[in-house]
Amino acid sequence: MDNKHSGPETPGTVVLTFLLLLWIGFLYFGNWITLSQAWGIR
Amino acid sequence: MAAIALPNTFSGTRSVFRVCPVTTFKVDLAAERLIIVNAVTAIVALLLGGIYALLIGLTRWPDVHLLSAPWFYRLLTAHGMNMLVFWMVFFEVAGLYFGGNALLNARLVGVKLAWVAYALMLGGAILVNVIIMMGRADVMFSAYPPLKADPLFYVGYILFAVGAILACCIFLATLVMAKVEGRYEGSMPLAVFGLLTAAIIALFTLLSGAVALIPTLLWSLGIGNVDPGAYRVTFWGFGHSAQQVNLSAMIAIWYTLATLTVGAKPVNEKLSRFAFFLYILFINLGSMHHLLTDPGLGTAAKFFNTSYAMYLAVLGSLIHAFSIPAAIETAMRKKGYNKGLFGWLLNAPWKEPGFSALMFSLFIFGFIGGPTGVVLGAGQLSLLAHNTWRITGHFHATVVGGTTLAFMGFAYYVLPLVFRRPLFAKKIAQWQPWVYGIGLIILSISMTLAGTLGAPRRHWDVTFSNVTIPVQVQPLMNLMLTFSGIGAVIAATGGAMFIIVAVGSLLFSPKRDPKALSPLEA
């Protein structure tokens, strides 16, 4: 068995996907916060 | 050109194929003519829609404000129809015929019917364009009643839809016949599976269009009435679902371009097929983001859409969003580009227009178009964003930055391999995806931000400069409107570069068999 590396085979894509999920979360919850502030919900 | 004739089951006739010396695909000559004529018509629609886009962009730029109000709405209608419907569907039909024929080594079934479908689509597209330019259909793409257009506008819309339904049926029959005649073994290739997904969604979409538009045609003739609420619900079964057809076709082309440019193979084909299957079941409910603020639709439907269907549709997209870059990374690492996290990306063939178009399309769709769509698909957030320019920013990042750019990248391979015309002005082709992509990034982000600051969509003068009671507009919104104008000019330049390469190749490049897979060397 080839044990040259133990991480994922596509580490770059894993990082890019993580950044994408963070970005979606930022957009989603950022908008939620803006919305709740606009409605005066604290 | 090597040509072979293969017997057809049932009819006793023979289909003549040429064998591509580079890809070794067998291309049915009858299908090839249809692919060429549909693709060329698509490019003409793109040219018209692009000219209108530039004029509209220069009108929404507050300091330029080029067009008068009637011409703004007229050209906005024509822009929407040519870009969202005619450019996309003509190119997709070319793609369906290519996928059903060349990728499966199969013949196209019902060639005469395919010409009838083309004639219907062309007649419908011409009719719609003429009626709009005569000023008798300033109703925009959605054509919401009680806005009423000339009956011929709806006739054109319906003729086009009937032609497109026929083309989808021909594609499905071609797949069945390819299996019956044993033209391929095992499962159909992933790209064809993606096109099959697009065709299935297209049938639902076009039938929804018929349900919305046939009563509207009768109403425009003075027969019966149309309920605007019912129209909105059925129209968006067409209007937004048509963009899901584009989405499925775009992803099929992403997989194809990844293979053509770096030799990538899907990391897990079954998972990718499952993601396409999720689209068939759930993605059409994305159309509901236009209806989340609509009082005509019940709360239960809105809850189901925003809570369940949306998640499963997005799951499909996230699977593709991982699979395609992962396939590219795997292929590049196999070639020895193993340095660091992103050595494979930095050393990728960025000068190849097919690759740069693929990556810009992936980035713009993945980081701008898709996520903004997810946000707009939340009911409560839709209350804030609906009918603002955020919606326009979202779909310029999906349909234009995503789908159109992917189609352009694919066209760079189609021109030498199917049209057998080497690329004209290769330097322009190399830079085109960069110019178009950067223009669209500026355009869609500034549209989104202007919308967030209150700019409405489909509005001739959002600054209300000539009204009696002055309206305070945020300076930042004005800045974003200006940026969007600049983005529109850059994107229009990129669009013009594509047209120069495509039309120049068709008119000025000598017809010959390709020498290599790369469009720069073919």
Side-chain angles (χ1 to χ4, degrees):
Chain A
M1 192 177 160
D2 179 11
N3 276 326
K4 266 192 290 189
H5 63 85
S6 55
E9 286 180 23
T10 57
T13 306
V14 170
V15 171
L16 286 175
T17 309
F18 181 67
L19 289 175
L20 176 63
L21 292 174
L22 272 183
W23 172 239
I24 295 174
F26 168 74
L27 284 182
Y28 202 80
F29 290 106
N31 272 282
W32 267 103
I33 291 163
T34 313
L35 183 76
S36 55
Q37 282 175 348
W39 287 354
I41 304 165
R42 304 279 168 180
Chain B
M1 180 187 79
I4 50 170
L6 294 174
N8 298 330
T9 311
F10 305 128
S11 65
T13 55
R14 297 170 86 82
S15 292
V16 182
F17 294 79
R18 76 174 171 86
V19 182
C20 176
V22 174
T23 59
T24 67
F25 287 149
K26 290 194 199 80
V27 185
D28 179 357
L29 292 181
E32 189 178 58
R33 283 187 283 275
L34 280 156
I35 294 167
I36 290 172
V37 86
N38 276 286
V40 169
T41 315
I43 291 170
V44 173
L46 179 71
L47 172 64
L48 287 176
I51 293 168
Y52 304 149
L54 181 62
L55 296 173
I56 293 162
L58 290 175
T59 305
R60 294 212 62 161
W61 185 341
D63 292 329
V64 182
H65 209 49
L66 184 70
L67 298 171
S68 66
W71 273 100
F72 172 78
Y73 292 110
R74 195 159 299 151
L75 294 192
L76 194 57
T77 310
H79 170 65
M81 292 300 296
N82 279 294
M83 291 306 217
L84 287 173
V85 184
F86 304 143
W87 145 247
M88 289 289 165
V89 179
F90 272 117
F91 199 88
E92 278 155 6
V93 169
L96 291 184
Y97 293 160
F98 176 77
N101 155 240
L103 295 182
L104 294 181
N105 290 326
R107 69 186 168 99
L108 190 72
V109 172
V111 172
K112 282 181 186 162
L113 268 182
W115 281 105
V116 171
Y118 173 72
L120 286 169
M121 288 167 65
L122 181 66
I126 291 173
L127 196 54
V128 165
N129 270 293
V130 169
I131 295 294
I132 293 172
M133 284 303 145
M134 288 169 74
R136 284 154 58 186
D138 297 338
V139 293
M140 280 163 289
F141 166 67
S142 50
Y144 279 157
L147 283 176
K148 191 186 278 184
D150 189 294
L152 287 175
F153 171 79
Y154 304 109
V155 170
Y157 223 140
I158 292 165
L159 279 180
F160 184 86
V162 171
I165 290 174
L166 199 52
C168 288
C169 293
I170 289 164
F171 170 69
L172 296 176
T174 297
L175 295 190
V176 172
M177 195 52 78
K179 191 78 180 168
V180 170
E181 292 181 348
R183 297 289 165 90
Y184 66 95
E185 287 174 7
S187 304
M188 66 177 73
L190 184 62
V192 184
F193 190 82
L195 291 171
L196 173 62
T197 305
I200 291 169
I201 299 174
L203 284 175
F204 164 83
T205 300
L206 294 162
L207 291 172
S208 298
V211 173
L213 289 165
I214 290 171
T216 315
L217 166 65
L218 296 174
W219 164 70
S220 73
L221 289 165
I223 304 165
N225 212 343
V226 172
D227 181 281
Y231 176 89
R232 285 196 299 274
V233 172
T234 48
F235 175 80
W236 285 115
F238 165 81
H240 200 287
S241 306
Q243 312 323 316
Q244 318 300 6
V245 182
N246 303 337
L247 169 74
S248 304
M250 172 187 74
I251 291 173
I253 283 178
W254 280 352
Y255 280 108
T256 311
L257 280 176
T259 306
L260 290 171
T261 52
V262 296
K265 291 191 176 112
V267 278
N268 187 326
E269 215 171 301
K270 275 186 184 160
L271 188 65
S272 298
R273 282 170 202 263
F274 174 67
F276 276 120
F277 184 65
L278 285 174
Y279 279 173
I280 297 176
L281 294 181
F282 297 107
I283 195 78
N284 270 356
L285 295 167
S287 61
M288 216 180 271
H289 85 73
H290 292 278
L291 302 168
L292 290 175
T293 54
D294 198 309
L297 202 67
T299 310
K302 290 174 184 171
F303 267 122
F304 172 74
N305 176 267
T306 53
S307 306
Y308 298 100
M310 183 63 83
Y311 297 156
L312 291 168
V314 172
L315 176 65
S317 286
L318 285 175
I319 291 171
H320 293 305
F322 181 81
S323 295
I324 295 168
I328 295 170
E329 183 173 354
T330 308
M332 289 299 291
R333 284 186 187 277
K334 266 190 190 160
K335 288 180 184 176
Y337 298 106
N338 269 314
K339 198 174 172 190
L341 268 182
F342 297 113
W344 58 278
L345 193 57
L346 295 172
N347 289 298
W350 287 96
K351 286 183 180 170
E352 188 80 64
F355 184 81
S356 55
L358 164 67
M359 295 312 280
F360 268 105
S361 172
L362 262 171
F363 174 80
I364 298 173
F365 193 99
F367 279 88
I368 307 173
T372 52
V374 172
V375 172
L376 296 171
Q380 297 84 343
L381 299 175
S382 183
L383 289 171
L384 269 188
H386 184 64
N387 273 346
T388 69
W389 228 20
R390 274 176 76 168
I391 304 289
T392 322
H394 154 68
F395 72 74
H396 276 76
T398 53
V399 184
V400 196
T403 310
T404 297
L405 196 45
F407 285 5
M408 285 171 168
F410 187 57
Y412 291 130
Y413 282 88
V414 171
L415 282 164
L417 296 177
V418 179
F419 289 53
R420 282 178 284 160
R421 305 276 183 181
L423 284 195
F424 171 82
K426 292 186 171 112
K427 276 277 171 209
I428 295 180
Q430 273 184 318
W431 284 104
Q432 187 273 333
W434 292 81
V435 177
Y436 197 65
I438 290 167
L440 277 159
I441 290 170
I442 297 171
L443 179 73
S444 53
I445 290 179
S446 45
M447 276 176 163
T448 303
L449 292 176
T452 307
L453 295 165
R457 69 183 294 200
R458 294 173 165 176
H459 204 291
W460 173 63
D461 179 19
V462 293
T463 60
F464 296 93
S465 52
N466 295 323
V467 294
T468 316
I469 304 168
V471 174
Q472 285 294 320
V473 176
Q474 292 195 41
L476 190 58
M477 188 181 97
N478 248 337
L479 183 68
M480 288 304 138
L481 291 171
T482 303
F483 278 157
S484 72
I486 294 168
V489 171
I490 298 172
T493 308
M497 289 164 76
F498 173 75
I499 299 284
I500 289 169
V501 175
V503 176
S505 305
L506 290 172
L507 295 181
F508 304 119
S509 294
K511 192 170 185 179
R512 60 164 169 76
D513 278 335
K515 292 174 185 162
L517 187 59
S518 161
L520 297 176
E521 293 159 19

